[in-house]
Amino acid sequence: MKIVVFGAHGPTGRRTTEQALAAGHFVTAVTRRPDGFPLTHPALRVAVADVLDPDAVDRAVAGQDAVVSALGVPFGRRPVTVYSTGLAHITRAMTGHGVSRLVAVTSTFLFGTEAPGEGLFFRKVMEPLVTRVLGRTVYADMRRMEDAVRHSGLAWTVLRPGGLFDTDTVSDYRLATRRLPGRYTSRADLAHALLRHATGEAHVHAFVDVRTTENTPGMLDLLRKEALRK
């Protein structure tokens, strides 16, 4: 299968690319910095493109069987448009080239429900701090992106992970179309779920939580190491 990965240079995108190649797929890794891309493989093509450039996106999508968006930007005060503009260009290119399967990443916070099983401090202090202050511009653009994807007419699935952290192996993670208990998702598990959906037909037109339940970090460790990463 031919899969194009946008955001391939980021930590989730790299893991998705690695797992896709290991599974025998042909992968086009889209990055703005091809010279620094760390992976090589006979079935890998590295494409130079910025998702804000519709012509470059169109060239990357041509001839593919499925599209994975692992776009990510750090928290900050400036307005964010990468998610919504990038996915608008991607979905337009997919429609033009007859590519229907799209899998993208946003966040569990977009379920709009309180975290199940969490205490008052997390629900009323920590989570609002992340969503309404630290990541306000990021989550606002993720919502715009999800709205564009929902109305794209494509066979889309949006994965909504928890706080991202790194592990070496894929675990027995959980999937659900509602917000799951737990705070964290390993990038290995998220990459596996992205590839699993891109190559299959599960959860079409659905928002899906991805949750790691084994060997997860503490909350302070996650905030210190991951708050400014995607």
Side-chain angles (χ1 to χ4, degrees), residues 44-228:
L44 173 66
R45 177 173 73 96
V46 179
V48 184
D50 187 323
V51 292
L52 301 182
D53 180 347
D55 292 332
V57 170
D58 189 80
R59 290 191 295 270
V61 169
Q64 304 295 328
D65 298 313
V67 175
V68 171
S69 171
L71 297 175
V73 297
F75 292 164
R77 295 182 179 180
R78 294 182 179 180
V80 174
T81 61
V82 169
Y83 298 101
S84 57
T85 303
L87 264 294
H89 293 161
I90 289 170
T91 56
R92 188 178 303 121
M94 291 177 68
T95 299
H97 290 287
V99 182
S100 64
R101 192 64 173 120
L102 170 65
V103 186
V105 178
T106 57
S107 169
T108 190
F109 293 138
L110 272 65
F111 278 105
T113 57
E114 288 193 338
E118 293 290 353
L120 186 66
F121 179 74
F122 184 87
R123 291 185 288 109
K124 300 301 183 182
V125 178
M126 293 304 300
E127 187 161 305
L129 174 66
V130 173
T131 59
R132 301 174 191 173
V133 181
L134 297 176
R136 180 179 60 83
T137 57
V138 166
Y139 295 120
D141 198 42
M142 283 183 175
R143 292 185 184 93
R144 290 190 291 268
M145 184 201 96
E146 286 194 347
D147 188 59
V149 169
R150 184 188 292 113
H151 295 97
S152 66
L154 301 171
W156 58 267
T157 302
V158 174
L159 301 185
R160 290 171 165 175
L164 296 175
F165 70 103
D166 288 316
T167 57
D168 294 329
T169 59
V170 176
S171 74
D172 187 19
Y173 60 89
R174 296 183 62 193
L175 296 172
T177 54
R178 66 186 187 283
R179 189 169 184 179
L180 289 167
R183 300 174 182 173
Y184 310 111
T185 306
S186 81
R187 291 187 174 92
D189 289 346
L190 177 56
H192 188 271
L194 284 166
L195 184 60
R196 175 178 173 180
H197 285 83
T199 58
E201 299 179 356
H203 297 121
V204 172
H205 297 161
F207 299 99
V208 182
D209 202 339
V210 186
R211 203 52 54 100
T212 300
T213 60
E214 307 169 10
N215 302 314
T216 57
M219 182 172 64
L220 293 179
D221 288 336
L222 184 72
L223 288 174
R224 183 175 65 252
K225 295 178 181 179
E226 304 292 341
L228 300 181

